[in-house]
Amino acid sequence: MRVAEQIRRIERMTSLDRTTALLRRAVEALPLGRFRDTLHGIPLGHPLHPVLVQLPIGAWVSAAVLDSMPGYERAAHRLVTAGMLAAAPAALAGAVDWSRQQQRHRRVGLVHAAANTAAVGLYALSSAARTRGRHGLGRALGLAGLTTVGVGGLLGGHIAYSLAGGASHADYLLDRLPSEWHDIGAVHEFTEGEPVHGMLGDTPIMAVRTGEDVRVLVETCGHMGGPLSRGTVRDGCVTCPWHGSTFRLTDGAVMRGPATAPQPVLEVRIRDGVVSVRRPRPVATVPRQRGETVPVDTAAGKDA
Ligand code: FES
């Protein structure tokens, strides 16, 4: 409880804002191109950073285990070095995520990064000591590095879980949508290419008309909850006004990060010019001949 309160205090430390602004500009200026989306984790469908951090942490924990046994000095040293090398891509992926988060995330993230940078520094000193044959000192510095990584991990966990920094802010809303059809208006009431905000029960939705077609998505951006109806629509996609995530209107696929999970899309039916929506049906099984069942994706069809 006291630890959590200390971390909450970091969220409110406005004294960190100048540094975060400077570093954020530096991260945004990195010439990463489309690789930035890979670092966010779009090919995985969730953030890449928590996957990559397993490598340095695994290497350093293994080094600590070997350090506790005589005769494994060389192998432990190699693991210390491997951990330092693996920390670089993990840090880069974390930095690009961090640069597109909210201020409270960025403040805690700055301290998280500082702790992990200190840990890498301790491991560099540990490696230098081991190179000089001072294995006792190398072990002690390695242990200090591992402890510091633990502090960094605690802060990273706070960002991921308490602040939901890597979670989809839209997916859970799917379960709140009604499974029955609900009319949301006539096709001609929607202005072509202009996102419209609406509520379906207590869930915000966003509708866009393209010709005689209407696409409807959960309005809350999966990245950090931005209002997609205030975004821009172009080339069959909507771009969030907060950090620029771009989703395809037809299926919610992420075309550009920082969002990594697809934006939930509602099932749409147009009958006699009236648009109705409902929660997309999951992949279901329907009976076949002789009692067999076969999976069918029932979510895609438009019942015009
Ligand atoms: S809230 Fe960050 S891109 Fe939408």
Side-chain angles (χ1 to χ4, degrees):
M1 188 66 185
R2 287 175 67 184
V3 173
E5 187 44 42
Q6 293 303 319
I7 299 175
R8 290 274 176 208
R9 284 178 62 181
I10 299 173
E11 289 178 28
R12 299 189 290 269
M13 287 171 72
T14 52
S15 55
L16 299 173
D17 291 357
R18 230 176 127 194
T19 312
T20 57
L22 279 172
L23 287 174
R24 189 181 176 207
R25 273 201 292 276
V27 174
E28 291 288 306
L30 290 173
L32 296 170
R34 298 300 294 190
F35 186 53
R36 191 176 290 270
D37 282 346
T38 306
L39 288 168
H40 282 308
I42 291 177
L44 286 181
H46 62 76
L48 179 62
H49 176 63
V51 178
L52 293 181
V53 297
Q54 308 302 318
L55 300 172
I57 292 173
W60 288 333
V61 168
S62 303
V65 171
L66 294 183
D67 274 344
S68 68
M69 299 184 284
Y72 290 98
E73 288 80 6
R74 215 181 209 183
H77 192 177
R78 281 191 186 139
L79 284 168
V80 165
T81 308
M84 287 193 293
L85 293 175
L92 186 59
V96 297
D97 285 349
W98 171 86
S99 69
R100 301 276 174 92
Q101 291 182 327
Q102 304 294 79
Q103 194 63 331
R104 285 189 301 146
H105 299 75
R106 286 200 292 270
R107 289 174 189 148
V108 182
L110 183 69
V111 184
H112 164 74
N116 290 336
T117 304
V120 172
L122 286 163
Y123 273 110
L125 292 173
S126 168
S127 177
R130 291 166 198 262
T131 302
R132 292 197 305 272
R134 300 182 65 188
H135 292 287
L137 180 61
R139 280 191 201 102
L141 286 165
L143 221 50
L146 195 58
T147 308
T148 313
V149 162
V151 174
L154 189 67
L155 295 166
H158 182 81
I159 296 167
Y161 300 113
S162 294
L163 299 180
S168 168
H169 291 248
D171 198 69
Y172 76 97
L173 292 170
L174 267 181
D175 297 328
R176 289 174 25 184
L177 293 169
S179 53
E180 308 81 35
W181 291 110
H182 281 257
D183 297 346
I184 61 168
V187 175
H188 65 80
E189 289 172 353
F190 297 89
T191 308
E192 174 102 25
E194 220 170 78
V196 176
H197 163 84
M199 294 296 290
L200 193 58
D202 56 359
T203 304
I205 59 171
M206 183 211 73
V208 181
R209 179 182 151 206
T210 315
E212 290 305 302
D213 206 5
V214 176
R215 299 289 175 178
V216 184
L217 282 69
V218 167
E219 196 220 8
T220 309
C221 175
H223 175 236
M224 286 270 146
L228 287 182
S229 68
R230 289 191 222 153
T232 49
V233 171
R234 189 180 301 160
D235 299 332
C237 297
V238 59
T239 298
C240 178
W242 281 11
H243 311 103
S245 289
T246 302
F247 305 98
R248 195 161 54 200
L249 291 168
T250 50
D251 57 3
V254 182
M255 307 309 287
R256 221 182 74 201
T260 53
Q263 188 67 15
V265 175
L266 280 74
E267 195 174 340
V268 175
R269 180 184 72 184
I270 300 175
R271 269 192 190 157
D272 302 326
V274 176
V275 183
S276 310
V277 294
R278 69 179 178 189
R279 182 200 311 163
R281 284 174 292 174
V283 173
T285 56
V286 295
R288 236 182 177 184
Q289 284 184 345
R290 292 196 292 275
E292 291 175 288
T293 59
V294 57
V296 173
D297 186 353
T298 56
K302 192 180 83 175
D303 188 2

